[in-house]
Amino acid sequence: MVRFAAAGQEADFDPAVEPLLRRLLGGGWVSLAGLAAAAELTVADAAAVAGELVDAQAATVRGCLW
């Protein structure tokens, strides 16, 4: 397992999502497509990981890029 810790919260994930998590830790804006590409996941899988982080209050969604 890979543990993601941010904002005083922790969440455990499959090691396959580590590149996605590292991209998040890099800061700045990143799209779901960018997260998916970082870990060679589908956008739906990247969205699921992001959703888990938001639910755990370890990450936030700041806006949408259109």
Side-chain angles (χ1 to χ4, degrees):
M1 295 312 255
V2 172
R3 178 162 291 159
F4 183 87
Q9 302 295 324
E10 295 180 346
D12 293 329
F13 293 95
D14 186 281
V17 303
E18 183 177 356
L20 179 155
L21 299 173
R22 287 191 183 278
R23 177 61 184 93
L24 285 175
L25 289 172
W29 290 92
V30 61
S31 66
L32 284 175
L35 292 175
E40 298 180 2
L41 299 172
T42 66
V43 171
D45 287 341
V49 172
E52 287 183 48
L53 292 170
V54 170
D55 287 346
Q57 297 182 348
T60 61
V61 176
R62 294 185 3 191
C64 296
L65 299 175
W66 300 104

